[in-house]
Amino acid sequence: MVQCNQVECKAEGGIPLFDQEIDYLYDTTEDTTTRFVCFVGESMKRFDLAITSSNRFYGKKLVVDIQTGITGILGPDDVNEEGYLEHLYRLKEDEANDLRSFLASVIGTVNFTDI
C-alpha cells in the first residue's frame, strides 16, 4: 500500500518509494503520432478523442476519451466486437454506433511483426 502526503509517497513500512529497487519490465521512448479529433454523431453525443499511433500494440491504436480519461488499445476486431465499445467507454448503443463508425475509418489492420 502506498501512502502519500503533500511532500512524498511512501510504501508499506514507511520506505520512501524512490529508495526502493525497481525491476523494470521495459522502459523505452519512441516517437508517436497523435490525432486529436472532436465530433458529434447522430446520437448527438460529443466525442473528444486522442488517437495515438505507435510501433507497439501490433498496429492497434491507443484511443483516449479525453472527457472521461478512459483509454483503450483498439484494433478492427475490438471495434467490431459486439458490446465492446459500449462496455469500455460506458456508452449507450447509439453512441457506440457513432464511435464505431468513426473508428472503422481510422483504425487500420493489425500487424504481427513478431511472428
Side-chain angles (χ1 to χ4, degrees):
M1 183 171 170
V2 176
Q3 296 176 345
C4 297
N5 60 33
Q6 293 178 340
V7 178
E8 64 184 349
C9 291
K10 293 184 178 183
E12 277 186 53
I15 302 168
L17 288 179
F18 53 82
D19 285 346
Q20 291 184 346
E21 185 176 318
I22 298 172
D23 292 328
Y24 290 98
L25 299 179
Y26 60 84
D27 181 4
T28 61
T29 302
E30 77 171 85
D31 291 328
T32 60
T33 303
T34 302
R35 175 181 176 183
F36 295 93
V37 63
C38 176
F39 71 93
V40 176
E42 291 181 17
S43 67
M44 298 306 294
K45 175 172 175 49
R46 174 180 168 157
F47 290 92
D48 292 290
L49 305 173
I51 303 165
T52 301
S53 300
S54 167
N55 290 326
R56 294 196 171 274
F57 315 124
Y58 304 103
K60 291 186 175 192
K61 308 283 188 201
L62 192 66
V63 180
V64 180
D65 179 336
I66 297 170
Q67 293 179 23
T68 64
I70 297 172
T71 303
I73 300 171
L74 303 176
D77 54 331
D78 304 304
V79 171
N80 295 320
E81 184 177 332
E82 186 176 333
Y84 186 70
L85 295 178
E86 290 88 336
H87 173 74
L88 177 64
Y89 292 105
R90 302 177 188 136
L91 300 172
K92 298 175 185 170
E93 185 177 357
D94 59 338
E95 296 168 342
N97 287 335
D98 290 343
L99 181 58
R100 187 172 289 109
S101 294
F102 171 76
L103 291 176
S105 68
V106 172
I107 296 188
T109 58
V110 176
N111 304 310
F112 293 102
T113 55
D114 294 15
I115 300 176

